[in-house]
Amino acid sequence: MKTRSWIILLALVLLVCGGLSALLLLPGEPAAFARITSRGAVVEIVDLSVEQTFTVDDGAGGSNTVTVRDGKIAVTQADCPDQYCVHQGFRSSGTPIVCLPHELIIEFVSDPGLEGAGADGVDGVVG
């Protein structure tokens, strides 16, 4: 009887953990904008409702082609060796799209002016 209780308890714990992880991994509400940074500098803030394709150069000879369509954004071409950023596909929310060799990050934001900054739009002051 003791072994059966442990099996039931373990099954319940696994069920609860599985349910919680499914909730955490679900994509969030689609963002309206994407902030693109390359080598730590904001390159562009893109409205995801406007279809477009453009190239982001990393300043060191590398480049990524970024495409926006149907309210989603993706890196559709890159000259990096692993192509991980291309394989991430089109997204409109969730974890950022990243190209490590080119130090490119595409983050999803709802308000392009204040995301990541204080209430006054200032990230910090050095004096």
Side-chain angles (χ1 to χ4, degrees), residues 26-102:
L26 287 175
E29 200 170 308
F33 299 92
R35 180 176 45 229
I36 302 172
T37 58
S38 179
R39 300 201 179 268
V42 175
V43 175
E44 192 160 348
I45 296 183
V46 179
D47 184 345
L48 295 180
S49 67
V50 178
E51 295 195 5
Q52 55 188 307
T53 298
F54 55 92
T55 301
V56 178
D57 294 318
D58 72 352
S63 65
N64 297 80
T65 301
V66 178
T67 302
V68 179
R69 76 168 176 241
D70 300 326
K72 298 179 179 182
I73 190 168
V75 175
T76 52
Q77 185 177 355
D79 58 7
C80 54
D82 61 4
Q83 299 288 299
Y84 181 71
C85 54
V86 176
H87 297 298
Q88 292 181 48
F90 281 88
R91 295 187 187 172
S92 62
S93 65
T95 57
I97 298 171
V98 177
C99 178
L100 289 178
H102 297 155

Side-chain angles (χ1 to χ4, degrees), residues 8-20:
I8 291 172
L9 180 64
L10 180 62
L12 286 173
V13 168
L14 290 175
L15 186 64
V16 169
C17 289
L20 289 176

